[in-house]
Amino acid sequence: ILCTIHQPSSEVFALFDVVIFMKAGRIFYQGPVSRINTYYAEHDRRIPENFNPADFVMNLSQVLAGDELEKLFFPIPDYALVEQGSSQRREESHLEFQVQSSFFKQMFELSWREMVATKRDTTALIVRFAVTILLNLLYGLIFLDAGGKDNGDQRDFSAHV
């Protein structure tokens, strides 16, 4: 299961097996939660006892700057690097997607999925109908007897606009 969470509590953080910390698109730490203390201790950044590691790492990423922060980033793989100032982009393999089923099969599957979702969540369906009926009644009451009351001068067309 993959999720994104910003500053989790220590109880929530303890439920994770593997984490990835990132800053500005760079990986700050990637690995098991159990190795976070060891990793930062190896980089002369000990996490205080009884301190939430997520809070510690977030604080580090905000406080450290320049070269100190650069030492903690994981290295960028060679295949991702492009010479600075070069207009050349790294080559990526071209992916082609082929449709394996016909248009009608896809429409059937999507319709079936929508029908099942609607059947499972009847409360949302009822609320949708109720809101539609309520709004229609409201609009009907607002414009009740609005037609046929043009008291403008029949000779002056600008009075009817």
Side-chain angles (χ1 to χ4, degrees), residues 33-156:
V33 171
S34 59
R35 280 216 10 93
I36 292 175
N37 291 337
T38 309
Y39 176 78
Y40 284 105
E42 290 170 357
H43 289 86
D44 298 325
R45 303 283 176 192
R46 294 201 183 281
I47 299 175
E49 195 172 324
N50 297 325
F51 202 84
N52 184 356
D55 288 337
F56 176 79
V57 173
M58 289 293 293
N59 187 41
L60 261 182
S61 70
Q62 294 169 358
V63 172
L64 295 180
D67 294 336
E68 290 182 69
L69 188 60
E70 191 65 33
K71 291 176 190 174
L72 294 176
F73 281 133
F74 278 44
I76 299 173
D78 291 338
Y79 66 82
L81 295 175
V82 175
E83 289 182 30
Q84 193 165 357
S86 171
S87 62
Q88 181 182 18
R89 295 176 52 147
R90 66 183 171 103
E91 292 183 26
E92 297 180 13
S93 60
H94 180 70
L95 298 176
E96 286 189 31
F97 296 99
Q98 293 182 348
V99 178
Q100 298 296 322
S101 56
S102 70
F103 172 78
F104 295 107
K105 175 69 174 165
Q106 291 179 37
M107 287 303 296
F108 171 78
E109 293 297 331
L110 290 172
S111 300
W112 180 260
R113 184 176 70 183
E114 187 64 28
M115 186 179 73
V116 169
T118 302
K119 190 175 180 180
R120 286 181 183 162
D121 194 6
T122 55
T123 306
L125 181 65
I126 292 168
V127 168
R128 224 180 286 160
F129 278 123
V131 167
T132 303
I133 291 168
L134 179 71
L135 288 175
N136 282 313
L137 288 173
L138 181 67
Y139 293 144
L141 287 173
I142 290 172
F143 294 106
L144 184 67
D145 293 332
K149 290 187 177 180
D150 188 7
N151 297 332
D153 186 3
Q154 296 295 325
R155 292 169 286 168
D156 185 11

